[in-house]
Amino acid sequence: MIKDDKRIRIIIGHYGSGKTEFSMNYVMKLRQEVEGNIAISDLDIVNVYFRTREKREMLIENNIRPIDSSVRAAAVDVPAVSAEVMSPIQDESYNYVMDVGGDFTGAKVVGRFSHILEGKEYDMFCVVNANRIESDTAAKVIDHIRKIEEASKCKVTGLINNTHLVRETTVDDVLKGQELVKEVSKETNIPIKYVVCIENIVKDLPDGIEGEIFPIKMYMRESWM
């Protein structure tokens, strides 16, 4: 269960992996399962679309502290990281989710805090969508993980199968992704942590699937998207 993950959860994944949607669902489920302080930071200073900061009001309404990565100047996002990002790392009263930029360049932001993270309890989860060309083979996923680890100076501790076609996702998509992450897990010894899917296909997934089933809502996409 997500409440048993490490206090600091760093979420990485290629653009299009569904990393931010997973992060939003994760922090909302976390709010249901644990009491006390919860924060989520938007550390994506590369991609300007589908960022958790877009759901700031919803997060606040659910007693979740949203932290924007960018410094704001004259109502414009500046690609520089706010010092507020560090606060929940150091304050151990917080459960903290960090939504990191989609490539190794974005992961360099985490590298800036690696000296603070050192000695702290953290998980770094890699979100994988086998339907994206950047992550449709085990070799590509492993290369991505290695580059992220080098840039962030942190180790990936869990794999997340989030193979999807948004609302058109089928059980076959999920199982296709499962085979891929199983291969990555075998080669890297990184465990499969979660198997993500839209809520209406959960009942059709086979028994005994490796990893915890993680049903999601579409927080980041409006109904027309």
Side-chain angles (χ1 to χ4, degrees), residues 102-190:
D103 59 15
F104 67 93
T105 302
K108 287 181 179 178
V109 174
V110 178
R112 291 182 55 182
F113 307 126
S114 60
H115 64 291
I116 301 173
L117 284 165
E118 188 174 355
K120 301 287 186 183
E121 287 197 350
Y122 75 84
D123 276 310
M124 185 155 77
F125 298 139
C126 180
V127 179
V128 178
N129 181 0
N131 283 334
R132 297 290 295 186
I133 193 170
E134 300 90 349
S135 53
D136 60 359
T137 69
K140 290 179 182 178
V141 175
I142 292 169
D143 181 63
H144 177 65
I145 288 172
R146 298 307 178 222
K147 287 178 178 176
I148 291 288
E149 288 181 332
E150 180 179 2
S152 68
K153 302 176 185 175
C154 295
K155 290 293 184 182
V156 171
T157 62
L159 301 171
I160 298 171
N161 173 18
N162 189 35
T163 301
H164 68 90
L165 290 170
V166 194
R167 292 182 178 85
E168 303 302 316
T169 305
T170 66
V171 170
D172 287 342
D173 289 313
V174 177
L175 297 181
K176 170 186 172 181
Q178 192 68 3
E179 290 305 308
L180 176 61
V181 294
K182 283 169 67 175
E183 185 178 350
V184 173
S185 179
K186 182 178 179 180
E187 293 190 29
T188 62
N189 291 318
I190 300 171

